[in-house]
Amino acid sequence: MKSIAALQNLVTPWSDGLEPSDAELDAIEQEMPLILAERDLLDAQIMTLDRMPTEVDEQRLRRACRQVLAARTALENRAAHLPSSGDAA
């Protein structure tokens, strides 16, 4: 049996452009609190899809919404304090 593993580079050559850049990784790291808060909100919403929400479910949803809003606010405040690259000095 002949293996085609040696021919793989000819079929699908590796491109260096497939990995995220350091700037993209930094941007993801900055947005991670918002990403996690949105994930928690989605989890809370999914739990209430097939049943009537209990008081605990409603509390979980409200808490998750507050966390998303707080994370968005913090992200926007952080972005507002960054120097813009288009300033003319």
Side-chain angles (χ1 to χ4, degrees):
M1 180 189 242
K2 186 176 179 181
S3 175
I4 63 168
L7 300 177
Q8 187 173 5
N9 284 339
L10 297 175
V11 176
T12 55
W14 181 255
S15 172
D16 289 335
L18 295 177
E19 295 293 323
S21 68
D22 289 339
E24 291 170 330
L25 290 174
D26 289 340
I28 292 169
E29 185 68 30
Q30 292 294 319
E31 294 177 8
M32 190 54 69
L34 177 59
I35 293 168
L36 295 175
E38 288 176 338
R39 183 204 57 196
D40 292 343
L41 176 59
L42 185 61
D43 285 344
Q45 291 170 335
I46 288 171
M47 282 192 274
T48 62
L49 284 177
D50 61 345
R51 61 187 166 113
M52 287 294 295
T54 64
E55 182 62 32
V56 173
D57 292 332
E58 291 174 3
Q59 289 175 359
R60 185 178 294 122
L61 282 167
R62 285 192 301 269
R63 184 181 321 114
C65 284
R66 285 192 306 268
Q67 288 175 344
V68 167
L69 290 175
R72 282 184 184 161
T73 302
L75 188 62
E76 288 297 320
N77 287 339
R78 213 174 306 128
H81 293 295
L82 292 176
S84 62
S85 59
D87 287 343

